[in-house]
Amino acid sequence: MVTRIAAAAVASVCLALIPAAARADAPSNCAGADLTPAASNLPQVESATLCLLNAERTSRGLVALRSNNRLERAATAHSADMVANHYFAHEDQHGGQPEDRIAHAGYMPRYGPWVIGENIGWGTDYLSTPREMVRAWMNSPPHRHNILYTDFRQIGVGVVLGVPDPSMGDGATYSTEFGARGRELRRARAHHARVHRHHKKKHSAGRGCQRTPNPAVSFCS
């Protein structure tokens, strides 16, 4: 059987992305990391994916991400939509962006700052396992940037059976929605500024939403 994997990412802030050297998998004992997704094990697959992502973060001294039901709802809906409508992109067939579906899921605060990001991917055969998906993301600079982005505090993982191109055979499609908002984001940024003042980034004052050249990038201050 031909086995393929595909992935795409959206950065959360405007940064120059420099290819990173490949690194061995972060040490982890994540149950289900090598499961091939099936109808009977999708909760375990999603838990293993979160565990592996957090192993990458905590092995570098970053805060572990917490699962958020609203982000998970947005992630699962996007994975299902890509499989059902045979496309693979951050922008859906109606022009909706990650910001739109995350807002629709009720995650965005009415007031205060927020930041979001999204990684998507699909794989068939053994490349559909959580370990292989996370490995592929970590070997891609934009995906790696999202996974290791300091300010993120919450995540939703959505895995559905099937791939955007059904001719490729059985597999699974993954979406991960990253986020932080309100006081938690302010605390994260304050801590980051204290530790890395020379890397501190300036954003426009007030509640101004910005995008990078990638149309799916979202930051709101």
Side-chain angles (χ1 to χ4, degrees), residues 187-206:
R187 288 195 298 267
R189 289 195 177 278
H191 173 74
H192 185 63
R194 288 194 298 269
V195 177
H196 300 288
R197 289 188 183 279
H198 61 291
H199 291 310
K200 186 176 181 181
K201 294 174 280 295
K202 295 181 180 179
H203 299 283
S204 61

Side-chain angles (χ1 to χ4, degrees), residues 17-166:
L17 295 173
I18 302 172
R23 172 187 171 123
D25 293 341
S28 66
N29 295 306
C30 295
D34 298 306
L35 283 174
T36 299
S40 61
N41 66 13
L42 288 181
Q44 293 96 315
V45 167
E46 291 172 348
S47 293
T49 302
L50 176 56
C51 177
L52 290 166
L53 293 172
N54 276 334
E56 296 290 354
R57 288 176 64 88
T58 57
S59 71
R60 295 166 174 84
L62 300 175
V63 173
L65 302 173
R66 303 188 315 278
S67 181
N68 178 275
N69 289 337
R70 292 177 178 179
L71 291 176
E72 182 177 342
R73 190 157 59 243
T76 302
H78 190 52
S79 291
D81 190 56
M82 289 190 289
V83 171
N85 293 295
H86 312 308
Y87 72 95
F88 183 67
H90 295 288
E91 181 176 333
D92 67 28
Q93 293 185 309
H94 304 290
Q97 302 288 347
E99 175 184 337
D100 300 314
R101 54 182 160 270
I102 292 173
H104 182 72
Y107 180 78
M108 302 298 202
R110 185 173 180 182
Y111 303 105
W114 51 263
V115 61
I116 61 167
E118 177 178 87
N119 283 352
I120 58 177
W122 63 265
T124 61
D125 199 70
Y126 76 93
L127 290 178
S128 65
T129 67
R131 190 183 307 279
E132 292 302 325
M133 186 59 62
V134 172
R135 178 180 290 136
W137 282 335
M138 287 300 294
N139 284 329
S140 166
H143 299 84
R144 180 188 179 97
H145 166 72
N146 274 359
I147 292 167
L148 302 180
Y149 183 52
T150 305
D151 288 350
F152 287 143
R153 290 294 183 269
Q154 298 171 317
I155 188 172
V157 179
V159 182
V160 302
L161 298 181
V163 298
D165 182 354

